[in-house]
Amino acid sequence: MRFATWNVNSLKVRLPQVLQWLADTGVEVLCLQELKMDQDAFPLAEIEAAGYRAVWFGQKTYNGVAILAKAPLEMTDVVAGIPGYDDEQRRVITATVAGVRVICAYFVNGEAVDSPKYPYKLEWLSKLEGHVAAELARHPNLLLLGDYNIAPEDRDVYDPEGWHEQVLCSTPEREAFRRLIALGLSDSFRLFNQEDKQYSWWDYRQMMFRRNKGVRIDHILVSDALKARAQSCEIDKAPRKWERPSDHTPVVLTLAD
């Protein structure tokens, strides 16, 4: 069974690509970030026509997350947002699919380490950590999927010196990532691929994708209870080559049934 994450950078713009990718791959569960649409604008009819069910937490212009599950899979115990955290930005949705607790998250970018948005990012990361810990206590079989806006190590960045202590690569952000790991999670991609220059996001400018100057910021963390079922985790670069692509590309984890 395959679980994927993809920041689509506007579902309105990228809906045809999402539908094409689902048709091509048949992925059973897909987590989407940056829907950039109101709750009422979500294209449920088109998603259902493609054979998928959906739960979503939308927000106009910015943010927004969704989980799609291939019918007849059902999603239960759905939670929108981070319980107990009053956050106007809609970044997290959680549901149980086929016995797996799925947390889909669009992590705060932070803009720059000297930006007023950076302390919010660190606060948000702390609140998410509490949410994940609580969910793990109830659901040992758990996946945390999303655009993390964190490159965990220097090898996850095309220019480590240029990115040193910049947003996405700063020490506090990387420490927050390690605290998530310490809860009892593993970076599923690194269970299988230890190579450098493996990225999931490339700036639109300066032919960065063609030159493979990117960062690996889209991740799927797998709980210790599920790790033995992990068979592969791959970055699918194909959609990044399509016309008008998202600047991110999907990451796909395969679990044994």
Side-chain angles (χ1 to χ4, degrees):
M1 186 171 179
R2 289 160 300 168
F3 296 78
T5 183
W6 190 3
N7 179 326
V8 290
N9 190 16
S10 174
L11 184 56
K12 181 179 180 180
V13 173
R14 243 64 72 177
L15 179 61
Q17 296 185 11
V18 170
L19 297 177
Q20 182 63 57
W21 190 76
L22 290 172
D24 290 347
T25 65
V27 159
E28 286 82 3
V29 180
L30 173 60
C31 292
L32 300 175
Q33 300 89 42
E34 275 203 276
L35 304 182
K36 294 184 176 179
M37 57 175 50
D38 271 338
Q39 188 77 0
D40 294 342
F42 188 84
L44 182 60
E46 291 89 339
I47 297 295
E48 289 183 336
Y52 286 78
R53 294 172 173 163
V55 293
W56 66 97
F57 195 33
Q59 186 169 11
K60 186 178 180 180
T61 309
Y62 302 105
N63 307 317
V65 286
I67 304 172
L68 313 185
K70 194 171 187 179
L73 294 174
E74 295 185 358
M75 289 174 280
T76 59
D77 192 14
V78 178
V79 177
I82 298 174
Y85 182 37
D86 185 14
D87 184 13
E88 64 182 15
Q89 298 191 20
R90 298 185 170 189
R91 295 181 171 274
V92 183
I93 191 164
T94 306
T96 298
V97 188
V100 176
R101 193 63 169 163
V102 175
I103 303 177
C104 172
Y106 173 43
F107 287 47
V108 178
N109 178 279
E111 192 174 79
V113 293
D114 58 354
S115 165
K117 297 179 181 179
Y118 185 76
Y120 164 58
K121 180 174 189 173
L122 299 184
E123 176 188 83
W124 187 92
L125 286 166
S126 176
K127 298 298 183 181
L128 178 73
E129 181 184 340
H131 175 52
V132 174
E135 290 290 343
L136 263 173
R138 292 189 293 266
H139 306 278
N141 294 327
L142 181 143
L143 297 176
L144 174 59
L145 309 91
D147 172 3
Y148 281 51
N149 274 311
I150 300 172
E153 303 176 61
D154 281 352
R155 61 175 168 166
D156 298 312
V157 185
Y158 77 91
D159 179 9
E161 290 186 9
W163 283 84
H164 180 67
E165 292 300 337
Q166 300 299 308
V167 72
L168 309 187
C169 301
S170 70
T171 296
E173 293 168 274
R174 287 178 167 177
E175 288 177 345
F177 186 91
R178 288 192 288 269
R179 286 196 299 272
L180 288 171
I181 296 291
L183 293 176
L185 301 170
S186 297
D187 179 349
S188 59
F189 184 77
R190 289 303 181 196
L191 294 176
F192 303 98
N193 189 319
Q194 300 301 324
E195 296 180 8
D196 297 343
K197 300 182 180 180
Q198 303 296 308
Y199 309 127
S200 63
W201 175 86
W202 302 261
D203 197 308
Y204 287 124
R205 298 167 293 182
Q206 300 178 330
M207 297 187 294
M208 298 296 265
F209 177 68
R210 184 176 298 180
R211 298 159 66 197
N212 196 31
K213 292 191 173 184
V215 294
R216 189 176 73 94
I217 56 175
D218 300 270
H219 309 296
I220 302 175
L221 297 192
V222 56
S223 67
D224 289 345
L226 277 182
K227 188 163 63 170
R229 290 173 53 189
Q231 295 181 319
S232 68
C233 185
E234 299 176 340
I235 297 171
D236 182 358
K237 293 183 180 179
R240 189 61 174 80
K241 302 173 185 177
W242 295 349
E243 187 175 354
R244 297 186 71 197
S246 170
D247 44 358
H248 297 252
T249 207
V251 180
V252 185
L253 169 67
T254 301
L255 294 181
D257 294 336

